Amino acid sequence: MSVVELTINSDNTYSDAVYVSKDFVFSLISTSFSGIVTVQRSFESTLVIWRDVKSFDSTSIEENGVQPGGAWYRFGTKTGEYTSGSIVGRLSAVAL
């Protein structure tokens, strides 16, 4: 299993990328923050082009997903989408 965790305290901050080839889980485990966290996906190995998958503004979520064929995933805050508090996130990918 590949796991990346990150505490975000500013704009334009992203986790390391995790390669997902099967199931994955994204969790926000913060107790309090104000802002928007976006999960993004990239299909190319240079990790230059990222596409938004889903955005969250809730302080506690657990989101399951499936990525057949494989892709890179990360999460973070875009410029202007962080307001306050500490955003604690975790992205876990099941290895084949």
Side-chain angles (χ1 to χ4, degrees):
M1 178 180 299
S2 296
V3 177
V4 65
E5 293 182 344
L6 179 67
T7 300
I8 299 170
N9 291 302
S10 63
D11 276 347
N12 200 28
T13 303
Y14 290 91
S15 70
D16 291 337
V18 172
Y19 189 76
V20 176
S21 58
K22 192 176 177 185
D23 301 324
F24 67 94
V25 178
F26 175 65
S27 304
L28 282 177
I29 50 180
S30 299
T31 56
S32 179
F33 73 87
S34 179
I36 298 171
V37 179
T38 302
V39 175
Q40 296 180 323
R41 173 176 57 202
S42 180
F43 289 109
E44 40 90 31
S45 62
T46 58
L47 304 179
V48 174
I49 300 170
W50 290 95
R51 303 281 189 237
D52 295 351
V53 175
K54 192 167 184 178
S55 295
F56 304 92
D57 61 4
S58 176
T59 57
S60 181
I61 63 103
E62 185 94 0
E63 187 83 15
N64 296 300
V66 177
Q67 177 58 58
W72 293 92
Y73 279 77
R74 70 179 186 177
F75 66 92
T77 55
K78 296 179 182 181
T79 300
E81 294 188 348
Y82 170 85
T83 305
S84 65
S86 292
I87 302 168
V88 181
R90 176 184 171 110
L91 181 61
S92 306
V94 177
L96 286 178

